[in-house]
Amino acid sequence: MLRDLDLKLQYRSSHDNIYENFYKKCLNNSINYDRAAGYFTSESLKVIAEGLDTFLLNEGKIRIVANPNLKNEDIEAIEKGYIAKEQLIENRLLEEVEVCYRTIEDDTLNVLSWLIYKNQLDIKIAFTKNNSIYHEKFGIFTDEEGGSVAFSGSANETFSGLGMNFEKVDVFFGERDKHRIENARRDFEYLWEDNTNGLNVIDLPKSIKKKLLDYRSKTPPYILQKKKNEKKIEPRDYQKSAIDHWNEAGNNGILEMATGTGKTITSLLAAQEYQIKYKRGVVLIIVPFQHLVDQWEKDINFILHQKNLKCMGNSKSWINKANRIVQDFNLGIIDNYVIITTYSAASSLHFKKIFNKLKGPSLLIADECHYITYKGFNDFPFNSFTATLGLSATPDRWWDEEGTRYMKSKIGEVVYEYTLEQAIENGKLTRYNYEPHIVEFNEIEMREYNKLSKRIINLLNKEDKEDEEQLTKLYNQRANLINKAQNKFWQFIEDFKKENLNELKHTLVYCAKGEIDRVVKEISKLGVKVSRFNSEVNNRDRSEILKQFENGTIQVLVAIKCLDEGVDVPATKTAYFLASTSNPREFVQRRGRILRTYKGKSCAQIHDYIVLPLGLSFDDFFKIASKEFPRFSEFSSSADNSATCKRGVIEILDEYNLTNLMYKKPWDVYKEMKELYS
C-alpha cells in the first residue's frame, strides 16, 4: 500500500532520480493513476508504456489530461479564423501519433493500443479558451484501500521530464496532507468532467483513438499477460546445485555441464534469481550462431517472461533499440530486459560502445564460452557487467592455453561440473551403445599424410607468423585425408544397408566438408527420405526440417557442423560419425546431441569410423592411431557395451603393442603431447 512507502516531501534532480525514487515506486503500489500531464507527445506515450508491469498486472487504470503541443503559428491561425481550434488540435495529435510510430521502435505502441482497448488508459485533451497554454502539472496515485499520494511540480510526463531534465516535485501524503490530496483529487475530477473555468477538455478524437488501436497485435503483449497463471519452473537438484555454486563464487564463473543436461534452463533460472535479488537487471546472452538466438528466445519467454531484443545481422536493425534500452535502464525507466546476440555481433565496435555505458545490476551469459577470444573481445566491456556466467561442456580451448586463460580471466573459473556419466546415471541423458568400425587408411593416403606432416614441421621450425595461414591450410588438408579416407564412405554405405530401412528414422550422419552431396545422394538411392542440414539451409527451412525429422517424415539428416552446438534434436536414436577432428569439443558436443532424453527412447546407438593404416610401419600406425583413439577411449568408456567394443580393436592394437591407447582420453593425450612438444 502507498502508506507503507518511505516517501520524501520533495524530490529534486540534484539529489534524486525522480522516476526511480518516486514515480515508479508509487506506480507499483497503486491501482489508479490520474495525471494532468503537460504536453501530449510521442515521448509521453513512451513513458506511459514503460515500467508499468506491476501496475498494469493489477488491472491499474490511468487517466491523463494533456495539452496539445501547438506552435505559435497554430495560435495565430486560430486567432485569425483560418482554422477551427478543434480541427487544428486533431491534426497536431495525428502528427504526434505518426511521430510516435516512426520514433518508438519497440512494443510501446502495441502496449498503448492494448491499454486503450482494455479501458486501462483514457486520455483527454485540455486547451484554454483564450489561446494561452494549459501548463499545470500534478497527479494522484491511489491504492486498493483508497489511500492516495498527490504531487505537483515542474516535471512533464515525458522521458526528459522524468529522467533527464533538472526538475522538482512536491509530494503530499499522510494525514497532515489530507486536504491537499483532496484538493488535487477534486481539481482533477473537475478537469476530467470539463468543469474548470477557462478551459475546454475534450475526449481524445476518434481519429486518434482509431489510429492508436490500429497498432494492436492479435495477442496481448507480455506486459499485460497474467503472471499468476504461469507455471513456475523449478530447477532439478543438480541445476540448483550449479546455481548455488555460482552464487557462492560471487556470481562469476563457468558451469561445465555435459551437453543435453539443460545448461540454458540452468542459466536462465540463475538469471531469474539474480534479478529477484537485486530487484532489477539487464541480462545479455551471447550465443555462437544466429539460429540459436531464436531457440534461446523461446526459453526466455518460457522462464523469464521478459521483453527481449535480438541483436544480429545488420546493425541498423538493432543498434538504436539497444542504445535506448541501456539508456532507459540506467535512468531507472525500465527494470528488466534481455538482449540476445551472437559472438560476431557482440565483438563489433557498435555493440561494445553501447554496453560500455551500462550501469547497474547486469548479467552476461556466455553460451559456449570457449568462443571468447582475445582477438575479438580484448576491448569488450566485461567490467560493465556485475555478474558473468559461462556455459560449456568443454570450456578449455584445444591447443590454446593462453586463450583459455584469457576467457577465464573475464568469465571466471569453472565453479560447477556435471559429467556425462553423472547425467546418464541420474537418467538425465540416454544410455548408449558404441560401435567402432575400423577403416583402412591405404598406403597412398599415408604417403600424402607424411608429405603434409613434413611441410608442417618445416613451417613450425621457421616460427614465422606470416606462415600461420599456410600452416592452418596444411593442418586442414592433413585432417581431411583422414575424414575423407577412400574406404570410409563405402564401408558406411555397406553398414547403412544392414539397417531396417523401411522402419529407419531419427538417424544422423556427420560427414566431412564437401562430402554432403555424395552422402545424401547414395542414401536417397536406397529409398530413404533424407535431407541435408548445413549452412546452405536457411533458418526458416531448418525449423521445418527439424520438425519433419522429429515426426519421422524425414528419416535421416546429413550434417557437417550445424548440429554441433545448440541445436536440439532429442528424437535422434542413431548416429554415424564419418568425420571428426581430434578436438574433443566437436565429438563430445555431437555425442551430447544424440543422448538427449526423448519419449520412447531408452538407448541410443553411435557408429564411429576409425581410420588406421593397417599393415604399415609402427611410426605410420602410431601417427594416425594416436589421433583416432582418444575419441574411441572417450566414447567407449561410458557406453553400455564398453567391454565388447574394446574386444573388437584389441587385436589390432596388440600387434603394435599399443593397447594402452584404448584408455587414453583426449586431454590425457593432450598433456603428453604438450610435455613432448615443450
Side-chain angles (χ1 to χ4, degrees), residues 503-516:
E503 300 296 325
L504 182 74
K505 59 182 178 179
H506 301 149
T507 299
L508 294 183
V509 178
Y510 281 101
C511 66
K513 190 175 182 180
E515 293 279 280
I516 196 166

Side-chain angles (χ1 to χ4, degrees), residues 92-133:
R92 287 290 173 260
L93 293 176
L94 277 170
E95 285 179 10
E96 280 296 340
V97 174
E98 287 300 321
V99 169
C100 186
Y101 173 70
R102 293 196 302 271
T103 59
I104 299 180
E105 300 170 355
D106 55 20
D107 209 27
T108 295
L109 277 177
N110 184 32
V111 172
L112 290 168
S113 185
W114 270 93
L115 290 178
I116 293 170
Y117 176 76
K118 288 164 64 71
N119 294 318
Q120 283 185 262
L121 170 63
D122 202 353
I123 301 172
K124 291 192 176 184
I125 303 301
F127 52 92
T128 62
K129 294 178 179 178
N130 62 3
N131 295 331
S132 60
I133 298 173

Side-chain angles (χ1 to χ4, degrees), residues 63 136 155 169 219 225 260 304 357 377 477 481 589 592 672:
R63 295 188 298 174
E136 67 176 348
V169 294
T219 57
Q225 294 170 9
L304 295 181
K357 303 171 187 174
F377 287 84
Q477 287 176 354
L481 281 173
Q589 294 277 7
E672 285 185 7

Side-chain angles (χ1 to χ4, degrees), residues 420 424 431-435 591 634-643 645:
L420 180 108
I424 291 175
R431 296 166 24 250
Y432 70 97
N433 285 316
Y434 174 56
E435 188 169 346
R591 177 180 58 178
E634 179 68 41
F635 282 2
S636 64
S637 64
S638 302
D640 279 4
N641 63 334
S642 180
C645 58

